[in-house]
């Protein structure tokens, strides 16, 4: 790998400067991540007036190690260096993108000119991983110069200025140039996963492309950028870290897609427990003094506003109500809701509808059913009353009702001992019927998809917990297995966008199976489900710990417990973890 790090730097003579054509810029319809980290470095040094640093990061709270790569060689240098880089993006179901340009970021170490050293950009757009069997080239080639503009981004790339100590003094030798490459004729893309591979020429002195940079985070388990060196195949880029003994991370590139969007994706599959409708998961707990005591919901949203309501009885206690927060009235906001087992066999839903602030109370299901399968099965944008019933000896069933006191639909799916894990696995905005089954200790998943039919896949162990969500942002549910491994949770994610595996290995695991509830959701609002847990240990009682896809690791105190995995509080985002 050719890269620009503290331990590997490329130097050379000044490059020739080309005349740049001006392109008409369309709106940015997708950004693969940011670069700016602020006008002051971690060590307290101010950037030049009107500029910011793009500082290589360490994880929040980590004083031992940081990333070490300032940039990666995606470069053409004469006839000796011929490297390319690639990354993916997703067009969600229901949308059509008309793409007329891509924007990339590049610097040349030591270049101090007033205009960019970039002389050429070539690129290719693929349906599938570049050059992989079965992939289709949609646009571009490896020789045509598609350079539009290359302008000063007013960012300086610097290494971490504090970690590991003593850090590296900030400097202004790496101006980052925002470089746009044209797509003509424009590419029209329907829903799917696409890859762009690119190469930048800045003359004999070469150039480097920085990786996505987010304050307080070395990266995400979803980062899957690729590099091709010479005639070799594309391979994943590894951020080895400084010192080299710390965990490896993947790397993504901060490119933008420019153009126009037609259509709408409707409800995002990543959004859960969003009580104020801002497309971010809120910190929500339900507090009960006993199984027969009043439950009070307490919500802290992303704007730091506090809300809640007295709703339900004994949520979090065995035999108490079950939290089932979903958007039952279709206003884009999660409703406070519980499902109550009956004294006999009849059970009921009690929903506080946010659109009208009215109560919906409706008998549905029976004691012993699993109500965690509430979801939108008919695609009308409203969650349906739903339960899963394990009949104990043979066929199991999903039951759901889409309209108040309307007809009940039942679907035979699953057998005795299966566990439900519904989600929108085909991206048509309808929940699919899904279970997983114990096959010799492994988990075998059976999905009845509403548009793409039956599929089965073996993934994870039957003893794993499964936290369904849209972790890769393609508006389809991904299978995510969370496994207890000693004192940590290991997360294993099967991306629906490209069928690849991501894990929490770079985080050293995430969460503690002894003390933590699993509470996935989209806490940073980037339309991707995040790894998250809520802790009940005595030392940091009632803290939400997040590993978001588009921001740094963080912790937020909300709620409390009297002991490990015990009441009075229960984190309601745990309701659909199976």
């Amino acid at each position: 790998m050719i890269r620009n790090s503290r331990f590997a730097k490329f130097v050379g003579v000044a490059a020739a400067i080309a005349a740049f054509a001006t392109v008409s810029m369309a709106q940015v319809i997708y950004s693969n991540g940011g670069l700016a980290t602020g006008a002051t470095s971690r060590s307290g040094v101010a950037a030049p007036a009107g500029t910011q640093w793009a500082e290589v990061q360490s994880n929040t709270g980590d004083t031992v190690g940081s990333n070490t790569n300032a940039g990666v060689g995606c470069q053409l240098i004469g006839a000796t260096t011929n490297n390319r880089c690639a990354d993916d993006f997703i067009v969600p179901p229901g949308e059509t993108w008309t793409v007329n340009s891509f924007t990339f970021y590049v610097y040349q170490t030591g270049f101090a000119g007033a205009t960019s050293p970039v002389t050429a950009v070539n690129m290719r757009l693929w349906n599938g991983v570049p050059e992989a069997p079965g992939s289709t080239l949609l646009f571009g080639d490896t020789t045509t110069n598609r350079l539009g503009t290359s302008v000063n981004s007013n960012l300086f790339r610097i290494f971490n200025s504090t970690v590991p100590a003593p850090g590296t003094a900030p400097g202004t030798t790496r101006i980052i140039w925002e470089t746009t490459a044209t797509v003509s004729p424009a590419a029209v893309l329907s829903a799917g996963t696409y890859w762009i591979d690119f190469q930048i020429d800045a003359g004999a002195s070469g150039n480097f492309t920085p990786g996505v940079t987010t304050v307080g985070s070395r990266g995400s388990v979803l980062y899957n950028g690729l590099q091709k060196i010479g005639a070799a195949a594309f391979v994943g880029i590894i951020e080895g870290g400084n010192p080299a003994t710390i965990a490896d991370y993947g790397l993504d590139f901060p490119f933008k897609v420019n153009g126009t969007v037609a259509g709408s994706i409707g409800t995002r599959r990543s959004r859960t427990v969003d009580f104020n409708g801002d497309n971010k998961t809120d910190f929500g707990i339900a507090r009960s003094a006993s199984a027969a005591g009043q439950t009070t919901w307490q919500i802290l949203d992303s704007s730091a506003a506090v809300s809640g309501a007295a709703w339900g009885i004994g949520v979090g206690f065995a035999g108490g109500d079950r939290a089932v927060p979903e958007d039952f009235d279709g206003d884009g906001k999660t409703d406070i809701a519980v499902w109550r087992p009956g004294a006999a066999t009849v059970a009921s839903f009690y929903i506080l509808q946010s659109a009208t602030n009215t109560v919906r109370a409706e008998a549905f299901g029976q004691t012993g059913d699993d109500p965690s399968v509430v979801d939108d099965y008919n695609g009308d944008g409203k969650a349906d009353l739903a339960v899963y019933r394990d009949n104990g000896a043979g066929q199991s069933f999903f039951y759901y009702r889409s309209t108040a006191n309307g007809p009940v639909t039942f679907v035979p799916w699953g057998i005795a001992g299966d566990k439900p894990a519904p989600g929108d696995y085909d991206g048509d905005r309808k929940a699919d019927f899904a279970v997983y089954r114990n096959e010799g200790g492994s988990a075998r998943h059976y999905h009845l998809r509403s548009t793409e039919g039956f599929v089965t896949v073996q993934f994870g162990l039957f003893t794993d917990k499964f936290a369904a969500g849209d972790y890769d942002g393609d508006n389809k549910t991904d299978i995510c297995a969370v496994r207890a491994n000693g004192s940590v949770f290991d997360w294993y994610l099967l991306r629906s966008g490209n069928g690849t595996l991501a894990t929490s290995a770079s985080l050293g695991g995430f969460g503690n199976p002894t003390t933590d509830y699993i509470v996935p959701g989209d806490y940073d609002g980037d339309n991707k489900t995040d790894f998250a847990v809520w802790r009940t240990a005595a030392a940091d009682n009632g803290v939400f710990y997040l590993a978001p896809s588009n921001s740094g690791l963080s912790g937020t105190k909300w709620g409390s417990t009297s002991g490990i995995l015990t009441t009075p509080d229960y984190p309601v985002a745990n309701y659909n973890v199976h």
Side-chain angles (χ1 to χ4, degrees):
M1 178 189 303
I2 294 181
R3 62 188 183 184
N4 186 214
S5 72
R6 292 189 65 193
F7 313 111
K9 299 183 180 181
F10 192 94
V11 296
V13 298
I17 299 175
F20 302 117
T22 301
V23 297
S24 176
M25 289 293 293
Q27 66 179 358
V28 176
I29 57 178
Y30 174 78
S31 173
N32 201 50
L35 276 171
T37 58
T40 305
S41 72
R42 294 184 59 166
S43 60
V45 177
T51 70
Q52 294 188 64
W53 303 119
E55 184 171 1
V56 172
Q57 292 294 297
S58 59
N59 288 329
T60 298
D62 185 355
T63 61
V64 175
S66 68
N67 285 349
T68 191
N69 286 348
V72 175
C74 312
Q75 59 198 6
L76 180 69
I77 308 176
T80 60
T81 302
N82 183 21
N83 303 328
R84 308 186 66 81
C85 293
D87 214 329
D88 63 336
F89 63 96
I90 294 170
V91 178
E95 292 189 358
T96 299
W97 291 6
T98 300
V99 178
N100 54 32
S101 64
F102 289 89
T103 300
F104 306 106
Y105 295 84
V106 60
Y107 67 86
Q108 186 181 92
T109 304
F111 180 80
T115 56
S116 172
V118 175
T119 61
V121 181
N122 66 72
M123 64 183 182
R124 297 180 295 180
L125 177 63
W126 297 81
N127 187 344
V129 176
E131 301 181 356
S135 294
T136 303
L137 178 63
L138 302 178
F139 175 84
D141 53 55
T142 61
T143 57
T144 302
N145 185 2
R146 303 186 187 278
L147 177 64
T149 60
S150 187
V151 298
N152 194 332
S153 69
N154 291 318
L155 297 173
F156 292 99
R157 189 61 160 168
I158 60 173
F159 295 103
N160 197 294
S161 60
T162 60
V163 178
T168 301
T172 56
T173 61
R174 297 177 179 85
I175 301 171
I176 297 176
W177 301 92
E178 185 176 77
T179 301
T180 298
T182 60
V183 178
S184 181
V188 179
L189 306 178
S190 58
T193 300
Y194 299 90
W195 286 78
I196 182 76
D197 81 80
F198 62 96
Q199 182 182 66
I200 298 173
D201 188 348
S205 293
N207 61 89
F208 295 95
T209 298
V212 168
T213 305
T214 303
V215 173
S217 175
R218 289 188 58 205
S220 165
V221 297
L222 296 176
Y223 286 178
N224 60 346
L226 306 176
Q227 185 189 39
K228 172 185 173 69
I229 298 179
F234 279 98
V235 295
I237 302 171
I238 300 300
E239 166 54 73
N242 177 26
T245 53
I246 63 176
D248 294 343
Y249 275 71
L251 183 146
D252 258 11
F253 296 105
F255 66 89
K256 294 178 181 177
V257 183
N258 309 303
T260 58
V261 176
S264 173
I265 64 166
T267 302
R268 290 281 189 177
R269 305 307 307 179
S270 59
R271 183 177 67 187
T272 58
V273 193
D274 175 18
F275 294 98
N276 64 346
D278 66 350
N279 207 38
K280 296 181 180 179
T281 296
D282 301 319
F283 303 110
I285 58 96
R287 177 169 296 170
S288 309
S290 66
Q294 175 71 62
T295 297
T296 302
W297 293 56
Q298 299 185 0
I299 300 157
L300 176 68
D301 67 27
S302 58
S303 68
V306 177
S307 61
W311 200 257
I313 297 172
V315 172
F317 283 87
D321 292 351
R322 295 278 297 276
V324 286
E326 280 279 357
D327 180 12
F328 292 93
D329 55 16
D331 67 345
K333 300 178 181 179
T334 298
D335 302 316
I336 294 174
V338 298
W339 181 83
R340 182 172 299 164
T345 58
V346 177
S348 297
F349 282 86
Y350 295 90
I351 303 165
L352 180 58
Q353 299 179 122
S354 56
T356 57
N357 200 35
T358 57
V359 178
R360 177 183 175 187
E362 200 166 328
F364 193 86
Q366 65 186 35
T367 302
D369 288 348
D370 184 347
S372 68
V373 298
V374 291
D375 211 324
D376 180 10
Y377 290 92
N378 68 343
D380 65 353
K382 301 177 182 179
D384 306 318
L385 307 187
V387 295
Y388 175 76
R389 186 171 300 164
D390 185 335
N391 279 331
Q395 182 69 65
S396 297
F397 292 86
F398 283 82
Y399 295 88
Y400 70 94
R401 175 186 286 159
S402 298
T403 57
N405 297 306
V408 175
T409 300
F410 65 92
V411 177
W413 198 250
I415 61 175
D418 289 353
K419 296 182 180 179
D424 183 8
Y425 293 95
D426 54 6
D428 67 343
R429 309 180 205 173
K430 298 179 181 179
D432 303 314
F433 306 101
V435 297
Y436 62 98
R437 183 172 301 163
N438 188 355
E439 292 194 354
S442 296
R444 168 72 65 175
H445 300 259
Y446 295 87
H447 295 169
L448 182 59
R449 300 172 297 180
S450 49
T451 61
E452 297 181 357
F454 166 73
V455 68
T456 180
V457 60
Q458 183 174 307
F459 189 81
L461 303 177
F462 189 71
T463 53
D464 292 342
K465 295 182 182 295
F466 287 90
D470 179 16
Y471 293 84
D472 59 6
D474 66 346
N475 217 36
K476 297 180 181 180
T477 299
D478 307 308
I479 301 175
C480 183
V482 187
R483 182 174 305 163
N485 179 14
S487 61
V488 299
F489 277 130
D490 288 334
W491 298 61
Y492 298 91
L493 172 64
L494 182 61
R495 299 183 183 97
S496 56
N498 55 24
T500 59
L501 175 70
T503 75
S504 61
S506 60
L507 302 174
F510 187 77
N512 186 328
T514 302
T515 60
D516 297 353
Y517 287 94
I518 299 165
V519 289
D522 181 12
Y523 292 88
D524 57 1
D526 67 345
N527 295 314
K528 298 178 182 179
T529 303
D530 307 315
F531 295 170
V533 296
W534 186 72
R535 183 154 299 168
T536 63
D540 42 4
N541 181 321
V543 176
F544 284 85
Y545 287 103
L546 313 178
S549 47
N550 197 34
S551 55
L553 299 171
S554 65
T556 298
K557 170 69 174 164
W558 191 247
S560 63
T561 57
S562 58
I564 293 176
L565 298 179
T566 60
T567 52
D569 292 352
Y570 168 78
V572 295
N574 180 254
Y575 79 102
N576 64 350
V577 175
H578 301 280

